[in-house]
Amino acid sequence: ETGVTQTPRHLVMGMTNKKSLKCEQHLGHNAMYWYKQSAKKPLELMFVYNFKEQTENNSVPSRFSPECPNSSHLFLHLHTLQPEDSALYLCASSGQDYGYTFGSGTRLTVV
Amino acid sequence: GEDVEQSLFLSVREGDSSVINCTYTDSSSTYLYWYKQEPGAGLQLLTYIFSNMDMKQDQRLTVLLNKKDKHLSLRIADTQTGDSAIYFCADSAGTYNTDKLIFGTGTRLQVFP
């Protein structure tokens, strides 16, 4: 258990569906992040939240919509996705310690 | 923007040393990190080095930093099959350790008997 929990672990969705990814941490961290991991590409930073406020949106398409209701929870709402959005979506958090703590990720397949 | 580059694959024999290399472009980096990702898992922090250091050793792991060339390496001594994983180099794009991390593509290390 890494301290950052992501659900679901696997998700298959059609292009017209709406689904949400959830991330939860109880490490007392104040910052949370969404990353996208695709094969043979660098991890792509998508969104950054600091004390519930979004501080970075890395030119992510609007079909991805983040939500951070409090410092412990982070959501990624998905709608009308494309097959190229299939990837591993990783959540991470950080606080006063060095580096980030990552969750195990959600493996998303868009069909 | 900032960029971090790594080779994609490395294959070593069990018991040998592995050296994974990384180059980065951000000259203001204050911390550089190595993460390990095992199959089906997220990234696990292995070690980090502050930019005013040139070497850090932690058990079987040795990190070397050449700040002039913007080159970072991770050496794993006596590599074991359990070390097979993807290793990511990351650069903290800012002056604080919690600033956003820029990752490379990851290097897949395969250890064979």
Side-chain angles (χ1 to χ4, degrees):
Chain A
E1 176 58 56
T2 66
V4 177
T5 303
Q6 288 188 245
T7 54
R9 291 295 306 274
H10 301 274
L11 178 63
V12 179
M13 60 186 288
M15 288 189 281
T16 58
N17 289 162
K18 288 185 181 180
K19 296 285 184 184
S20 295
L21 310 185
K22 180 182 176 183
C23 177
E24 188 173 352
Q25 59 92 6
H26 296 288
L27 300 168
H29 290 169
N30 54 274
M32 296 187 77
Y33 313 81
W34 280 116
Y35 279 86
K36 176 183 179 183
Q37 184 179 16
S38 305
K40 298 182 183 176
K41 292 174 72 174
L43 261 69
E44 297 173 51
L45 177 64
M46 300 175 73
F47 301 104
V48 180
Y49 277 82
N50 246 307
F51 294 102
K52 303 188 303 177
E53 299 298 319
Q54 186 180 121
T55 55
E56 180 128 0
N57 175 339
N58 215 15
S59 303
V60 181
S62 60
R63 57 187 185 270
F64 295 91
S65 174
E67 179 191 0
C68 188
N70 54 60
S71 294
S72 299
H73 294 85
L74 185 65
F75 295 89
L76 188 63
H77 303 300
L78 316 170
H79 63 98
T80 59
L81 294 193
Q82 304 299 310
E84 60 264 30
D85 296 321
S86 297
L88 181 68
Y89 288 85
L90 291 164
C91 173
S93 67
S94 67
Q96 297 303 310
D97 295 337
Y98 296 100
Y100 295 177
T101 302
F102 280 84
S104 298
T106 295
R107 172 69 62 187
L108 174 68
T109 304
V110 181
V111 297
Chain B
E2 303 92 354
D3 195 22
V4 176
E5 293 191 357
Q6 303 177 240
S7 54
L8 289 178
F9 299 102
L10 176 65
S11 184
V12 299
R13 188 179 298 276
E14 191 175 16
D16 287 351
S17 292
S18 307
V19 179
I20 302 170
N21 294 301
C22 169
T23 57
Y24 60 97
T25 57
D26 183 7
S27 58
S28 67
S29 300
T30 50
Y31 292 91
L32 295 127
Y33 299 86
W34 284 104
Y35 281 82
K36 177 183 180 183
Q37 185 181 33
E38 297 184 0
L43 277 67
Q44 173 195 359
L45 178 64
L46 276 182
T47 188
Y48 63 90
I49 188 167
F50 189 49
S51 59
N52 69 351
M53 300 169 64
D54 52 20
M55 187 181 93
K56 180 178 180 180
Q57 186 148 6
D58 184 0
Q59 299 182 333
R60 291 191 298 122
L61 304 179
T62 303
V63 179
L64 294 178
L65 175 60
N66 182 328
K67 199 172 179 183
K68 174 176 166 291
D69 294 338
K70 299 192 183 74
H71 182 268
L72 183 73
S73 68
L74 174 70
R75 179 177 179 270
I76 305 173
D78 187 24
T79 312
Q80 303 298 306
T81 54
D83 295 323
S84 295
I86 303 176
Y87 290 81
F88 289 89
C89 167
D91 161 22
S92 65
T95 55
Y96 299 101
N97 59 299
T98 53
D99 277 357
K100 65 179 185 182
L101 295 187
I102 305 298
F103 288 86
T105 55
T107 299
R108 183 179 294 275
L109 174 65
Q110 182 178 16
V111 183
F112 58 93

